[in-house]
Amino acid sequence: MSAHTQTVEKGQNTTLLCQESYVCSGTDEAIFECDECRSLQCQRCEEELHQPERLRNHERTRIKPGHVPYCDSCKGANGNIMHASMTGSRQIAAVRCQVCKINLCVECQKRTHAGGNRRKHPVTVYHAGKAQEQEEEEGMDEETKRRKMTEKVVSFLLVDETEEIQVRNEEDFIKKLDCSPEQHLKVVSIFGNTGDGKSHTLNHTFFYGREVFKTSPAQESCTVGVWAAYDPVRKVVVIDTEGLLGATVNLSQRTRLLLKVLAISDLVIYRTRADRLHNDLFKFLGDASEAYLKHFTKELKATTARCGLDVPLSTLGPGVIIFHETVYTKLLGSDHPSEVPEKLIQDRFRKLSCFPEAFSSIHYKGTRTYNPPTDFSGLRRAVEQQLENNTTRSPRQPGVIYKALKALSDRFSGEIPDDQMAHSSFFPDEYFTCSSVCLSCGCGCKKSMNHAKEGVPHESKSRCRYSHQYDNRVYTCKACYERGMEVSVVPKTSASTDSPWLGLAKYAWSGYVIECPNCGVVYRSRQYWFGNQDPVNTVVRTEIEHVWPGTDGFLKDNNNAAQRLLDGMNFMAQSVSELSLGPTKAVTSWLTDQIAPAYWRPNSQILSCKKCNTPFKDNDTKHHCRACGEGFCDGCSSKTRPVPERGWGPAPVRVCDNCYDNRGIQLDVAELPSDEEGGTLIARKVGEAVQNTLGAVVTAMDIPLGLVKDAARPAYWVPDHEILHCHNCRKEFSIKLSKHHCRACGQGFCDECSHDRRAVPSRGWDHPVRVCFNCNKKPGDL
């Protein structure tokens, strides 16, 4: 007997030859397959072989093109299938052993011909054609076809226990699901306590008992994180979750993860194996509903707009099926057939003050297990019925499901401190709201997690209280507020139009200023000699604002007069010794203008001598004639005479040559109040100016600079003793490497990393000052 198989180029056989040599010697085309003879037979061999009476009843089947026989080893003597438990159907032969004269499937070939002499037997390989596969499918019933569709389904880890998504992107998610990107799907997830058989329930409800989701008899939980699989029969993504009450590490994050899964689900199965429904079930669903409405509804709407989804994400929560398995007790509502289980569940929610308003529906499906295994057919029918309902939640493409999960994970992520864990609720607000706390009053931010990534500022439900440590009082210009604008203003040592040293002198004379970008300088603290009003009552409004971690808005010391004084003294001392007397002359000129009589020409307007027209240089001294008030050089105003009509009394004072020559002519001077321009007032002005300005300068110059640095340093500067190395290049400071403070951020830098100069108006430095490399790169005003 011989066996031959003709094949075409693609490896699929179009003609099977007779495997008997009774008449044709194996050269004719096979027409029949005889199970009892275990061979393919041509017309002539079939007739001759079955002539005897005892062989006439053999079951013979006419074969079609592309036919492949069944495995002979898989059948018993009576033709029954021996390994039906493996696949639920007869196995197609893969090879025919030419020595043993039997057809073998892959498994049987391994079992019978893997060792010994049999492994050397020559075999003929069968190539199953499409026609054969179609024939097999046509011969299957609907249930068998469904089983076959789920044979290759595998689950994969979607999100781990730390809330990290384990698929790289949308394409990877679709690839692991093994479905079409255009396929419209729904999502079914399962919740319940640890040990209640959630994975086992999904395997039997969707995958005919195959272990798609791992189960284990061990005490440890076999499901860690969130796992997903695709059911090609019902076109759903099936999600398995961790059991409640089982996790001991990252409990808060794992609980929050459950709500993210719930938010993307269309149907939720709550599995419980308790003989009576526990309060935990109602508490969990009630808290989940409240948290969903409070935190997730808004985010799902924003995700729809942000991702430009064609299918809007439903803001109504999923439907819920409570799958209740009992052993010793009756099912809910079975005592009184008139009572609907769903109504009893709603009454129970009400008694516990839990309101599951977020869920589109809640159904009860119970089963009583007298003897294992559990009957899941009722749950399967209930699930299929709910999936057919598209009125509240419609199927969508897998990419939409991934985007929704990714958006929720990006928004609600991060560790939850132990001190924020609340045990009164399954889903407390702390799991979903920003964890920042105001440094001044201790109130928490009410915004959702990670809102700062979108540029949304912190916000609290309650008002803040003032703290001297953070000086969190904010001033706004009252005039601008009355015109419908809210413009913040800050007290500063000088106006933005003043030069550095001139502003310093003005600060000593007139105090701090409040400058509005629209209205200019609206307040000086020492504008008058007495009776200065509080700016709060006149030109500004005040508000107390929260101080959030990571922000330095209220650590800005705009009243940095002491440091500016030191900077100014360093600059003036250097100018005096190396350059010129320009800065000190400027200060002196301004002070003179401040205490000068009203008829004196300001120093800034005197560019040359009134008489000889000699231009004044930086180091030249300008002299005012006490009679006419004009400016002269020393040579043109060297004479003196009394000028009582100007309030200078009987003592001789400096006058110009012209006024000296015209000393007999009475000046036409309007009468001035003695309190305004009298000698006593001028003396008081001069004395106070010297005491406030020049006296302060002299004192600071006499005291070693190092002893006053700490007192002069603005509050936001890092103290010198804490600065060990450059904040940018990390070089260690030494005697040769000096440390410098950036006027914007207050950190310590070496000269190379802070040689840039730039105005920092938010800190009160309106003129270019030292800033670090990083602050100088920032756009806009510092």
Side-chain angles (χ1 to χ4, degrees):
M1 185 183 296
S2 62
H4 302 281
T5 303
Q6 295 181 357
T7 60
V8 295
E9 290 183 0
K10 292 186 178 180
Q12 293 183 350
N13 51 318
T14 57
T15 303
L16 291 173
L17 299 183
C18 178
Q19 295 174 347
E20 299 285 354
S21 59
Y22 194 76
V23 177
C24 70
S25 300
T27 58
D28 290 358
E29 181 182 354
I31 303 297
F32 299 97
E33 178 184 13
C34 179
D35 282 348
E36 281 78 7
C37 295
R38 296 184 179 183
S39 64
L40 303 179
Q41 301 166 3
C42 66
Q43 184 74 37
R44 291 186 296 163
C45 290
E46 185 269 337
E47 292 175 355
E48 291 295 328
L49 282 170
H50 295 88
Q51 284 291 337
E53 185 70 27
R54 60 186 180 83
L55 301 178
R56 288 181 182 177
N57 293 329
H58 281 191
E59 183 178 349
R60 303 181 291 280
T61 305
R62 183 176 288 273
I63 63 176
K64 297 179 182 179
H67 173 77
V68 176
Y70 288 111
C71 175
D72 295 322
S73 182
C74 286
K75 298 181 293 182
N78 58 357
N80 293 331
I81 300 170
M82 298 174 59
H83 301 285
S85 59
M86 295 173 60
T87 61
S89 62
R90 297 174 67 181
Q91 297 296 312
I92 300 297
V95 297
R96 178 177 179 82
C97 178
Q98 298 177 9
V99 177
C100 301
K101 302 177 183 177
I102 58 174
N103 300 313
L104 298 171
C105 64
V106 174
E107 293 295 329
C108 291
Q109 183 190 13
K110 291 179 181 178
R111 181 167 52 85
T112 61
H113 285 63
N117 292 329
R118 289 189 177 184
R119 66 178 179 179
K120 299 179 181 179
H121 288 185
V123 296
T124 300
V125 179
Y126 291 112
H127 298 280
K130 293 183 178 179
Q132 175 73 9
E133 294 177 357
Q134 291 175 359
E135 179 185 353
E136 291 296 323
E137 291 183 4
E138 290 173 1
M140 295 179 186
D141 58 11
E142 191 65 28
E143 188 70 12
T144 305
K145 288 181 180 179
R146 288 187 169 194
R147 287 176 180 270
K148 190 172 182 62
M149 291 173 67
T150 60
E151 283 180 0
K152 297 182 179 179
V153 175
V154 293
S155 62
F156 61 93
L157 181 61
L158 180 58
V159 187
D160 66 12
E161 67 273 19
T162 62
E163 300 182 285
E164 292 291 333
I165 296 180
Q166 297 300 299
V167 290
R168 296 187 298 273
N169 48 41
E170 181 180 331
E171 291 73 21
D172 190 30
F173 176 67
I174 297 172
K175 180 180 177 181
K176 289 189 175 183
L177 285 179
D178 193 19
C179 67
S180 168
E182 305 302 323
Q183 179 68 55
H184 284 67
L185 313 172
K186 283 193 173 183
V187 180
V188 178
S189 58
I190 192 166
F191 296 88
N193 288 333
T194 243
D196 275 355
K198 298 183 302 301
S199 303
H200 182 75
T201 300
L202 293 179
N203 290 337
H204 282 269
T205 304
F206 295 94
F207 305 108
Y208 302 94
R210 285 188 61 249
E211 191 170 304
V212 173
F213 296 105
K214 183 182 177 183
T215 60
S216 171
Q219 281 292 321
E220 293 78 14
S221 176
C222 55
T223 303
V224 178
V226 172
W227 292 72
Y230 174 59
D231 177 8
V233 176
R234 299 168 185 83
K235 304 296 187 294
V236 296
V237 178
V238 184
I239 295 182
D240 192 13
T241 63
E242 282 192 59
L244 299 170
L245 309 179
T248 56
V249 181
N250 299 329
L251 176 61
S252 302
Q253 290 176 252
R254 293 181 174 190
T255 306
R256 179 173 60 192
L257 176 58
L258 296 180
L259 193 61
K260 296 179 190 177
V261 174
L262 183 144
I264 65 170
S265 299
D266 299 285
L267 183 63
V268 169
I269 302 171
Y270 191 99
R271 172 74 155 102
T272 176
R273 199 181 275 174
D275 275 307
R276 293 178 178 84
L277 295 179
H278 293 166
N279 287 348
D280 281 350
L281 180 153
F282 299 93
K283 181 70 172 168
F284 173 84
L285 293 176
D287 291 345
S289 172
E290 182 181 358
Y292 181 90
L293 292 174
K294 193 171 186 179
H295 304 289
F296 280 57
T297 301
K298 180 179 178 182
E299 185 58 29
L300 288 172
K301 287 181 179 178
T303 302
T304 301
R306 185 167 56 247
C307 299
L309 303 179
D310 297 331
V311 181
L313 298 174
S314 175
T315 54
L316 184 62
V320 176
I321 295 178
I322 299 175
F323 181 53
H324 183 203
E325 180 182 4
T326 67
V327 176
Y328 303 106
T329 59
K330 297 179 181 179
L331 299 177
L332 193 65
S334 60
D335 289 338
H336 304 284
S338 59
E339 292 182 343
V340 180
E342 284 75 14
K343 184 178 183 304
L344 297 176
I345 288 176
Q346 292 292 345
D347 292 341
R348 184 82 172 269
F349 272 117
R350 251 189 318 273
K351 289 179 182 178
L352 295 173
S353 298
C354 300
F355 305 98
E357 298 152 338
F359 303 118
S360 55
S361 64
I362 296 181
H363 296 274
Y364 174 85
K365 181 56 63 177
T367 182
R368 188 170 180 181
T369 305
Y370 295 96
N371 295 302
T374 305
D375 180 14
F376 295 100
S377 60
L379 174 62
R380 189 180 302 114
R381 289 192 298 271
V383 168
E384 290 175 349
Q385 183 180 356
Q386 290 300 311
L387 291 175
E388 291 174 359
N389 183 8
N390 296 327
T391 54
T392 55
R393 297 178 73 95
S394 57
R396 62 267 189 209
Q397 295 173 347
V400 177
I401 298 172
Y402 173 79
K403 288 177 181 176
L405 178 62
K406 184 72 167 61
L408 294 177
S409 294
D410 290 344
R411 168 64 75 182
F412 305 106
S413 61
E415 295 184 2
I416 302 173
D418 292 338
D419 58 356
Q420 291 191 19
M421 290 177 57
H423 300 283
S424 60
S425 171
F426 275 98
F427 302 101
D429 289 346
E430 289 81 0
Y431 287 8
F432 308 99
T433 54
C434 178
S435 60
S436 296
V437 177
C438 174
L439 300 176
S440 180
C441 66
C443 294
C445 175
K446 70 177 185 179
K447 293 291 186 180
S448 60
M449 290 186 129
N450 299 312
H451 61 88
K453 293 181 180 178
E454 300 176 359
V456 179
H458 294 287
E459 185 179 347
S460 178
K461 296 179 181 178
S462 58
R463 296 176 63 87
C464 192
R465 63 170 180 265
Y466 179 73
S467 170
H468 289 282
Q469 178 183 359
Y470 300 105
D471 191 21
N472 54 331
R473 182 186 289 113
V474 177
Y475 297 98
T476 56
C477 178
K478 184 178 288 187
C480 291
Y481 179 79
E482 292 172 352
R483 293 196 296 269
M485 300 180 292
E486 190 163 348
V487 180
S488 296
V489 294
V490 291
K492 299 188 294 185
T493 55
S494 65
S496 58
T497 55
D498 296 333
S499 62
W501 51 82
L502 201 58
L504 177 64
K506 285 187 177 182
Y507 172 73
W509 175 255
S510 301
Y512 69 85
V513 301
I514 297 179
E515 184 177 16
C516 171
N518 300 326
C519 308
V521 177
V522 295
Y523 180 79
R524 290 187 183 273
S525 62
R526 293 199 296 270
Q527 184 173 4
Y528 307 105
W529 294 110
F530 59 88
N532 289 293
Q533 294 184 341
D534 191 321
V536 176
N537 299 325
T538 54
V539 296
V540 297
R541 298 172 64 254
T542 60
E543 292 182 9
I544 308 301
E545 295 196 356
H546 293 279
V547 184
W548 302 105
T551 60
D552 57 359
F554 298 105
L555 301 179
K556 297 175 179 178
D557 183 10
N558 297 300
N559 298 319
N560 46 24
Q563 183 62 39
R564 292 190 59 183
L565 181 63
L566 292 181
D567 291 348
M569 283 188 295
N570 286 339
F571 180 70
M572 287 178 2
Q574 182 181 8
S575 299
V576 170
S577 61
E578 298 179 6
L579 301 174
S580 66
L581 297 175
T584 53
K585 287 293 184 181
V587 174
T588 305
S589 297
W590 181 85
L591 281 173
T592 303
D593 290 339
Q594 293 300 305
I595 63 177
Y599 67 93
W600 278 21
R601 183 177 297 278
N603 278 283
S604 59
Q605 299 180 12
I606 302 174
L607 304 178
S608 61
C609 176
K610 178 71 174 178
K611 182 179 181 182
C612 66
N613 292 323
T614 302
F616 287 114
K617 298 179 181 179
D618 291 339
N619 295 337
D620 291 341
T621 303
K622 305 172 185 177
H623 300 278
H624 282 84
C625 173
R626 272 51 172 176
C628 65
E630 296 292 343
F632 299 88
C633 63
D634 183 66
C636 297
S637 60
S638 58
K639 300 181 175 60
T640 60
R641 72 172 179 87
V643 190
E645 62 272 21
R646 291 291 193 184
W648 294 99
V653 291
R654 181 187 292 270
V655 293
C656 64
D657 292 346
N658 291 336
C659 291
Y660 182 81
D661 294 339
N662 298 328
R663 56 185 177 276
I665 303 175
Q666 185 69 26
L667 293 174
D668 184 14
V669 180
E671 184 177 355
L672 298 173
S674 60
D675 190 45
E676 287 292 328
E677 295 295 343
T680 304
L681 180 58
I682 294 176
R684 187 168 70 242
K685 282 186 177 184
V686 174
E688 185 167 348
V690 171
Q691 180 180 359
N692 287 346
T693 307
L694 300 182
V697 173
V698 171
T699 303
M701 293 285 279
D702 290 342
I703 298 174
L705 197 59
L707 298 180
V708 296
K709 272 191 175 181
D710 286 337
R713 178 181 293 105
Y716 68 95
W717 280 21
V718 179
D720 280 1
H721 67 273
E722 296 181 10
I723 303 174
L724 304 179
H725 47 71
C726 175
H727 191 69
N728 184 49
C729 67
R730 316 305 290 179
K731 291 181 181 177
E732 290 190 5
F733 290 117
S734 61
I735 298 177
K736 295 182 179 180
L737 185 63
S738 301
K739 58 186 72 171
H740 303 274
H741 283 86
C742 170
R743 269 52 173 173
C745 64
Q747 295 289 343
F749 298 86
C750 65
D751 183 65
E752 291 183 1
C753 298
S754 61
H755 64 269
D756 297 303
R757 297 295 186 270
R758 186 173 170 184
V760 190
S762 62
R763 299 289 195 184
W765 311 89
D766 292 311
H767 296 276
V769 289
R770 181 187 293 271
V771 293
C772 67
F773 175 74
N774 293 326
C775 291
N776 190 48
K777 292 191 298 183
K778 294 180 180 179
D781 294 334
L782 294 178

